[in-house]
Amino acid sequence: MTITTVTTQPIAGQKPGTSGLRKKTAVFMGPHYLENFVQAIFDVVGAEGKCFVLGGDGRYFNDRAAQVILRMAAANGAARVIVGKGAILSTPAASHLIRLNQTDGGIIMSASHNPGGPDEDFGVKFNMPNGGPAPEGVTEAMYQRTTTLTEYRMLEAQDVDLSVVGRTHLAGMVVDVVDPVADYAALMESLFDFAAIRAMFVGGFRMRMDSMCAVTGPYAVEILERRLGAAAGTCVNAVPLPDFGGLHPDPNPTWAKGLMDEMFSADAPDFGAASDGDGDRNMVVGRGIYVSPSDSLAVLAANAHLAPGYRVGLKGVARSMPTSAAVDRVAEALGIASYETPTGWKFFGNLLDAGRATICGEESFGTGSDHVREKDGLWAVLLWLNILAVRRESVAAVLSGHWGRFGRNYYSRHDFEAIATDKADAMMAALRASLPDLAGKVVEGLTIAGADDFAYTDPVDGSVSQAQGVRILFQDGSRIVLRLSGTGTEGATLRLYLERYAAGPMGLDLDPQEALAGVIRAAHALAGIERFAGRTAPDVVT
Ligand code: G1P
Ligand code: ZN
């Protein structure tokens, strides 16, 4: 087989964001686009003699992109690629395979929770040998490489048959096609009390797991229905489709409305959950009660010791800055460290690697632990099931018990989507400029205690990340955070995070939007969202 060196030229804007390079599918399918970025990856990390994991969430173009990446890996001298059957791997399963096989990293094809299809989104990201997303220094080097490269290497060969598990070869490179589910399911079985969960299902516990026609379908069916004995039909939307069946595979109350309706209906099951396109996000719902991701993180941290994998206790916890401080209160009670990092899972990697944190989470429906180096949707679902099985309580009882003990951090995120980029930038610039004068000001009856633009110094490697989001703290402990999304593909998305703490047995049962009404008004007044962006109401509320 021949290796061709294809002459190309740099393509503008191949800059990976917080979760790799994410663009419209048509852009990825354009001439040399995927190839240039993949060559930049191999040029930066080196491919000669190396072993990589490859898989994706099954969205449109996943199969063909996998064949291109395999041919390029072979042309660049890689020794071996471990690829999920059908080029399928959930992001957490890919992270696990990278670690389990002690590989040199992996390429994950996904645009996470963004819709898929010819007119929707596609993405490629590189994960390091520790199983976690490449850090900023590495993605920046990849980007720099895309601005200068003039050729890429491609093997001339037919497609590899990825439909059968087993070993094949592509020129000199070994291709190991593996069952995408098996090793991941075994890992879950090692962490959780499957016997207790099975007994709960045998006892009549009912669940609805909505995979949103995305990658976790096969994982959920194998683990929940086959291994844990949940009733057939527990898993819905369980067949991954290239366009996710037209769904927006983002597990939140807006996009997983079908699940929400079911969980608030008269015949609601005991427990509901959903996961996103690539399986790293999760939403958890009890019968008639929604669990905010920040509360979920806090409950999981407070109860993790009930699962065998965490019996010895947690080394520490970490949350992204915009995530509510609920988990900090748990850490305080447990006497363990808590860390506040910038948005994006990659900031947890060093803390997990260094053994400083065991469980981490983000308000954006991401929770996970040191078992992999990605957030993990099904992991969170299984830890919840384990907790419910041991405590023999409903989700509602677990939550109210938690709030009674720790107080409640009322929390909500308001997203304003597809704002013209220049308007969003002007708004953030004006807000940033106003920060030094905010302390002491009274807005909507709330006194500002302080304000800053969050900067993070990594406690492990000392690296500094500036300008990670504006924080405005009020004297009563309420908080507003504003930042622009780093993952959107259309204009700018403003994320407004709102939080208010209520302690004691009183005032724990308010509707979050009601509890936060004053904080919401203060945020609009301070940021001028209407003045700059012409928006008075958010597009998505979580
Ligand atoms: C969003 C979430 C963030 C998460 C990221 C990747 O990023 O807010 O917590 O890590 O997706 O799933 P954003 O669009 O806000 O930059
Ligand atoms: Zn995702």
Side-chain angles (χ1 to χ4, degrees):
M1 277 182 264
T2 355
I3 294 171
T4 315
T5 301
V6 183
T7 305
T8 183
Q9 53 190 23
I11 297 172
Q14 289 196 314
K15 196 173 174 65
T18 39
S19 314
L21 181 64
R22 212 172 273 182
K23 296 285 173 197
K24 287 289 166 204
T25 311
V27 172
F28 261 104
M29 293 174 75
H32 310 306
Y33 195 91
L34 171 68
E35 292 84 348
N36 274 18
F37 188 63
V38 172
Q39 188 62 53
I41 292 177
F42 287 141
D43 285 349
V44 168
V45 302
E48 191 67 45
K50 294 203 165 170
C51 174
F52 299 109
V53 166
L54 173 65
D57 61 16
R59 68 181 60 225
Y60 186 84
F61 191 50
N62 184 83
D63 48 356
R64 279 169 287 168
Q67 297 291 348
V68 169
I69 295 168
L70 283 172
R71 281 198 280 272
M72 289 186 68
N76 279 276
R80 180 181 174 217
V81 174
I82 301 166
V83 52
K85 185 180 162 191
I88 296 284
L89 282 177
S90 76
T91 292
S95 181
H96 178 50
L97 284 181
I98 290 169
R99 297 163 62 78
L100 182 70
N101 296 286
Q102 297 181 327
T103 65
D104 299 294
I107 294 178
I108 301 176
M109 301 167 292
S110 169
S112 187
H113 50 284
N114 292 10
D119 301 321
E120 301 294 352
D121 292 352
F122 193 78
V124 170
K125 77 168 177 175
F126 184 79
N127 278 29
M128 306 296 281
N130 75 342
E136 244 155 24
V138 175
T139 55
E140 180 60 25
M142 287 168 184
Y143 170 60
Q144 289 306 331
R145 182 66 192 133
T146 66
T147 64
T148 56
L149 58 67
T150 53
E151 55 185 44
Y152 58 81
R153 283 182 288 289
M154 180 68 75
L155 183 77
E156 281 182 30
Q158 296 301 321
D159 282 1
V160 182
D161 183 0
L162 298 180
S163 69
V164 186
V165 168
R167 176 165 288 192
T168 52
H169 291 85
L170 192 54
M173 185 179 82
V174 171
V175 179
D176 281 321
V177 181
V178 300
D179 177 342
V181 178
D183 288 319
Y184 177 82
L187 175 64
M188 293 300 113
E189 207 154 352
S190 76
L191 294 175
F192 301 117
D193 189 343
F194 271 37
I197 303 173
R198 207 177 293 122
M200 180 170 71
F201 278 120
V202 168
F205 183 90
R206 288 191 303 134
M207 172 180 180
R208 178 179 172 120
M209 172 72 214
D210 191 338
S211 289
M212 305 191 84
C213 301
V215 79
T216 61
Y219 295 83
V221 170
E222 171 65 24
I223 295 171
L224 296 173
E225 295 188 9
R226 296 213 187 97
R227 299 196 185 196
L228 290 170
T234 294
C235 302
V236 300
N237 295 323
V239 178
L241 299 172
D243 66 348
F244 305 127
L247 293 174
H248 186 157
D250 196 0
N252 63 44
T254 303
W255 297 116
K257 190 171 177 306
L259 177 69
M260 290 298 283
D261 290 348
E262 172 87 10
M263 295 307 299
F264 282 80
S265 73
D267 189 36
D270 301 284
F271 186 61
S275 53
D276 75 329
D278 62 330
D280 56 358
R281 291 186 175 197
N282 76 91
M283 177 175 78
V284 161
V285 200
R287 182 189 293 133
I289 188 163
Y290 163 70
V291 185
S292 86
S294 294
D295 280 341
S296 177
L297 174 64
V299 168
L300 295 182
N303 294 282
H305 61 280
L306 301 177
Y310 305 93
R311 194 146 283 153
V312 297
L314 308 178
K315 294 168 181 153
V317 292
R319 64 167 170 88
S320 68
M321 180 273 283
T323 303
S324 96
V327 73
D328 299 10
R329 298 181 185 279
V330 174
E332 213 185 316
L334 294 176
I336 57 174
S338 62
Y339 297 88
E340 185 178 32
T341 61
T343 295
W345 202 261
K346 65 185 171 193
F347 291 99
F348 295 135
N350 277 349
L351 297 172
L352 296 170
D353 283 345
R356 294 199 187 205
T358 307
I359 285 190
C360 359
E362 295 193 90
E363 50 65 41
S364 52
F365 300 85
T367 5
S369 87
D370 58 1
H371 68 292
V372 289
R373 291 296 179 274
E374 290 277 3
K375 57 196 172 221
D376 188 344
L378 276 173
W379 169 89
V381 171
L382 290 166
L383 181 48
W384 262 99
L385 285 172
N386 194 142
I387 292 166
L388 296 174
V390 174
R391 293 186 63 125
R392 297 165 189 271
E393 282 180 321
S394 68
V395 173
V398 169
L399 270 182
S400 64
H402 187 93
W403 293 332
R405 178 171 170 207
F406 298 100
R408 179 171 180 184
N409 291 69
Y410 283 105
Y411 187 84
S412 183
R413 182 176 106 183
H414 290 191
D415 290 338
F416 302 80
E417 294 175 345
I419 302 174
T421 308
D422 54 337
K423 290 181 178 168
D425 288 344
M427 188 192 69
M428 289 304 290
L431 183 63
R432 288 193 157 103
S434 76
L435 296 181
D437 308 318
L438 287 185
K441 241 178 128 176
V442 181
V443 192
E444 296 290 331
L446 293 165
T447 309
I448 298 176
D452 70 355
D453 194 350
F454 182 60
Y456 177 67
T457 304
D458 188 300
V460 181
D461 66 18
S463 61
V464 179
S465 306
Q466 303 278 2
Q468 296 297 313
V470 168
R471 307 191 283 188
I472 302 169
L473 262 175
F474 296 92
Q475 267 169 12
D476 71 349
S478 300
R479 186 180 76 148
I480 294 170
V481 173
L482 294 105
R483 56 178 286 279
L484 297 183
S485 157
T487 62
T489 49
E490 222 182 310
T493 295
L494 168 68
R495 303 209 195 282
L496 167 62
Y497 309 84
L498 307 139
E499 180 173 356
R500 183 182 156 197
Y501 179 65
M506 294 300 292
L508 296 177
D509 290 317
L510 301 177
D511 170 73
Q513 302 306 318
E514 257 167 54
L516 292 165
V519 184
I520 295 170
R521 283 196 302 274
H524 279 267
L526 285 163
I529 300 173
E530 183 174 10
R531 191 156 33 95
F532 283 97
R535 302 290 176 86
T536 51
D539 300 288
V540 178
V541 173
T542 52

